[in-house]
Amino acid sequence: MCLASSKQGWHHYCPVIVVNRSALMARFKGMLLAAYGQDVDGSIIPLAFACNVYPVADFEICVQHLAANLKMRYKDFKGPMKTYFDGASRVYFVSEHQRHMESIRNRNPNMYRYFLQVNPKKWSQAYFNGRRYVIMTTNIDESLRLMLVGFLVEWLRELLQRLFVEKHEEALKLTSILALKAEKLLRTLFSLGLIVTHWPADQFKHVITNKAAQTWIVEIREITCTCRHFQVYQIPCPNDMVICNHRRIDSYNYCSHYYTIEALFAAYEPIVHPISSTEGWGVSKKVRSQVVNPPMTKRGPKKPSVTRILSQGEEPETIRCSRSHDYGHNRQTCTNTMSLRTSPTTRPQRSSTSQSTVM
């Protein structure tokens, strides 16, 4: 199921889709496939439900789920190994990615071979040629997963109808050029101790050097920077801001259209039409004659679970008592016996010279 409003608004969302499945805990159980998008302000938009195929899209692996699988496979996936993995997945350059991978191979060759089998092009930004728009995980799916348990199609339609109305009203109140999240990000990217050291003959290509003696090349005409921030996030990096400030170029011109409030307006402009009562529906005889029975299910002997089924490799968060410092309970439910702190039987007496009397 994909509503027309979601289909029309998709052209103005960040072009990254999160697809995941959720276990249905209702009477007939089953799995729900759902696709989600994200607008320029980071709000989650349900796009479609059931099954979706995108043959021309770049499919990536969620780094959080990959880390959960590694944690389950290798006991030493923590501390430095987790740091190396985070670095290998998020750096922009192949050389930096390989440096982190070498550290992993030196400590655990089996884990290194597992990474190669997974294919770094699916989880490392250094090899990814597309645009991720700061979306590295499928965490946005977690926010709606509980809402989708035991869903009804009509409830989903009403949810989207209310969502589009509320977001459209919020977008109408904006007066900035970019959406709030993008506007805040751009303001934090003004020159951070960077200086222009050289201006080549080409008026579109400039060299930037920072205090750490790192050198970056900015190509204004092609909208690229050797730091790769510009290409991946489609918003000016600190190096680009230096050039824009020096040449008095409007930095907003180098922001992707998806970050503008025009895109935000257009994303929520489509209308989710309400549905009248079934008496007014024009249903054909062929459809009316079909009988759709519920799936054959067998309820287990145990009481149905009310908690979400964890993904492979996920572990429940363990709480710790602040009283006994044991795991599995909190201070209010703690029943552990605590030893009493003993006090000295006698107290040292003060000298007579230091005593005073108040009348």
Side-chain angles (χ1 to χ4, degrees):
M1 183 190 77
C2 178
L3 298 183
S5 56
S6 298
K7 185 177 180 179
Q8 297 170 12
W10 156 248
H11 299 287
H12 308 283
Y13 305 149
C14 296
V16 178
I17 295 180
V18 173
V19 181
N20 213 327
R21 65 178 185 176
S22 301
L24 299 178
M25 305 303 296
R27 177 181 178 184
F28 300 107
K29 302 184 182 301
M31 302 298 298
L32 172 66
L33 285 176
Y36 308 99
Q38 196 168 3
D39 65 17
V40 294
D41 259 345
S43 298
I44 305 168
I45 300 95
L47 297 176
F49 304 94
C51 182
N52 295 270
V53 178
Y54 299 91
V56 297
D58 294 310
F59 286 89
E60 296 276 322
I61 296 176
C62 172
V63 294
Q64 181 174 341
H65 286 81
L66 178 59
N69 291 338
L70 290 167
K71 185 177 181 180
M72 180 182 63
R73 285 172 173 264
Y74 305 99
K75 296 181 179 180
D76 60 340
F77 184 72
K78 55 185 177 180
M81 299 296 285
K82 180 65 166 58
T83 303
Y84 296 145
F85 166 72
D86 292 337
S89 63
R90 296 182 182 274
V91 294
Y92 301 118
F93 300 104
V94 175
S95 59
E96 295 183 5
H97 168 82
Q98 293 176 346
R99 178 169 55 86
H100 290 292
M101 292 296 291
E102 284 296 323
S103 300
I104 295 176
R105 181 165 63 176
N106 294 334
R107 288 173 173 262
N108 191 327
N110 293 330
M111 186 185 300
Y112 175 80
R113 287 191 288 269
Y114 176 80
F115 276 123
L116 297 182
Q117 294 176 359
V118 176
N119 189 356
K121 294 183 179 180
K122 295 295 183 182
W123 56 270
S124 175
Q125 283 194 148
Y127 289 98
F128 183 58
N129 295 322
R131 302 168 181 175
R132 300 201 65 150
Y133 295 88
V134 206
I135 302 176
M136 293 291 294
T137 67
T138 59
N139 287 343
I140 63 175
D141 166 73
E142 301 293 335
S143 301
L144 285 180
R145 179 173 294 189
L146 292 178
M147 299 174 60
L148 296 177
V149 176
F151 80 101
L152 295 174
V153 173
E154 176 60 15
W155 180 86
L156 288 173
R157 188 201 61 79
E158 292 181 355
L159 171 66
L160 291 175
Q161 179 179 338
R162 182 172 63 253
L163 175 66
F164 270 68
V165 172
E166 294 175 352
K167 292 297 182 180
H168 184 68
E169 293 178 352
E170 294 177 2
L172 291 176
K173 299 177 182 179
L174 297 178
T175 58
S176 57
I177 298 177
L178 304 180
L180 294 180
K181 184 178 180 180
E183 188 78 29
K184 182 179 179 180
L185 177 61
L186 189 65
R187 293 181 183 275
T188 60
L189 293 179
F190 280 98
S191 55
L192 304 175
L194 299 176
I195 56 175
V196 180
T197 60
H198 180 60
W199 297 90
D202 188 350
Q203 59 177 331
F204 299 104
K205 186 177 294 184
H206 311 284
V207 177
I208 302 296
T209 303
N210 60 14
K211 294 181 179 179
Q214 294 176 316
T215 301
W216 313 106
I217 300 177
V218 179
E219 172 57 70
I220 293 296
R221 181 173 48 189
E222 298 179 2
I223 315 180
T224 60
C225 179
T226 54
C227 74
R228 299 194 72 240
H229 181 284
F230 206 179
Q231 295 91 297
V232 176
Y233 293 153
Q234 294 294 289
I235 197 170
C237 64
N239 306 320
D240 308 316
M241 298 300 298
V242 172
I243 302 300
C244 291
N245 293 340
H246 185 85
R247 298 189 58 184
R248 297 185 179 180
I249 301 175
D250 191 355
S251 58
Y252 289 105
N253 295 333
Y254 296 97
C255 297
S256 172
H257 167 74
Y258 296 108
Y259 291 120
T260 62
I261 59 173
E262 286 78 11
L264 194 63
F265 293 155
Y268 297 107
E269 188 176 8
I271 301 175
V272 181
H273 297 280
I275 298 179
S276 60
S277 59
T278 57
E279 288 77 8
W281 293 7
V283 183
S284 63
K285 294 182 178 180
K286 181 179 179 181
V287 175
R288 290 181 181 274
S289 62
Q290 294 180 356
V291 178
V292 181
N293 295 318
M296 299 295 295
T297 60
K298 182 179 179 180
R299 183 170 178 175
K302 298 181 180 180
K303 183 179 180 181
S305 175
V306 295
T307 58
R308 181 178 67 86
I309 299 177
L310 300 179
S311 301
Q312 185 179 12
E314 286 188 275
E315 295 182 356
E317 183 179 359
T318 304
I319 60 175
R320 188 176 185 182
C321 178
S322 60
R323 177 173 174 265
S324 61
H325 304 290
D326 291 335
Y327 293 92
H329 63 276
N330 55 27
R331 185 182 184 88
Q332 295 180 349
T333 59
C334 180
T335 58
N336 294 340
T337 304
M338 303 294 294
S339 60
L340 298 178
R341 181 178 299 177
T342 58
S343 58
T345 55
T346 60
R347 297 182 180 179
Q349 296 182 354
R350 293 182 297 176
S351 60
S352 58
T353 56
S354 62
Q355 297 179 353
S356 61
T357 303
V358 178
M359 301 298 293

